[in-house]
């Protein structure tokens, strides 16, 4: 069973930068895709970015050009470099890891990011 441990959340000023990390641990064979999602107060959880084991990436339109997702396969860790942060980026950010064969879909505990002056 894969477990996800997140770190890097916190308070950042508008226009500032923050980097989130998510390390996968436990018993698993492989992870096909990992990603970041976020949920702002009163809103649905939404996709931020995903990355496959082959480093294929996808981004939400709202973060394109500002956020970068990366993956260190040797460390089973993904990162989310967040630049030019906006107040609307305030949310609980969740790490996700999934695989089709064998199937699993695991979420991290969430890490709070607050963008405020």
């Amino acid at each position: 069973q894969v477990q996800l441990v997140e770190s890097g959340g916190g308070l950042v000023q508008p226009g500032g930068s923050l980097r989130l990390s998510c390390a996968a641990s436990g018993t698993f064979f492989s992870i096909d895709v990992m990603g970041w999602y976020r949920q702002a107060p009163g809103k649905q959880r939404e996709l931020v970015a995903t990355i496959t084991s082959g480093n294929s990436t996808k981004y939400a339109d709202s973060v394109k050009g500002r956020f970068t997702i990366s993956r260190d396969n040797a460390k089973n860790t993904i990162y989310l470099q967040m630049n030019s942060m906006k107040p609307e980026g305030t949310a609980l950010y969740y790490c996700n890891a999934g695989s089709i064969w064998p199937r699993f879909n695991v979420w991290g505990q969430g890490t709070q990011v607050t963008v405020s002056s």
Side-chain angles (χ1 to χ4, degrees), residues 14-15 18 27 32 36 40 42 44 46-47 54 56 68 74 90 93 95 99 110:
L18 201 64
T27 56
D32 292 329
W36 293 96
Q44 292 286 312
E46 65 175 352
L47 170 71
S56 177
T68 302
T90 296
Y93 285 69
C95 181
S99 180

Side-chain angles (χ1 to χ4, degrees), residues 86-103:
K86 300 178 179 180
E88 52 264 42
T90 296
L92 190 62
Y93 285 69
Y94 295 92
C95 181
N96 175 263
S99 180
I100 298 176
W101 303 105
R103 183 189 182 280

Side-chain angles (χ1 to χ4, degrees), residues 35-104:
W36 293 96
Y37 294 72
R38 67 186 181 187
Q39 187 168 20
K43 297 183 179 180
Q44 292 286 312
R45 187 177 302 183
E46 65 175 352
L47 170 71
V48 176
T50 61
I51 185 167
T52 69
S53 59
N55 284 338
S56 177
T57 60
K58 292 183 180 292
Y59 295 93
D61 289 340
S62 60
V63 307
K64 287 180 180 177
R66 298 186 298 113
F67 289 11
T68 302
I69 188 170
S70 60
R71 182 171 188 166
D72 186 336
N73 290 331
K75 297 181 179 179
N76 291 314
T77 300
I78 63 166
Y79 307 91
L80 184 67
Q81 179 65 47
M82 304 185 293
N83 298 327
S84 302
M85 293 293 289
K86 300 178 179 180
E88 52 264 42
T90 296
L92 190 62
Y93 285 69
Y94 295 92
C95 181
N96 175 263
S99 180
I100 298 176
W101 303 105
R103 183 189 182 280
F104 65 81

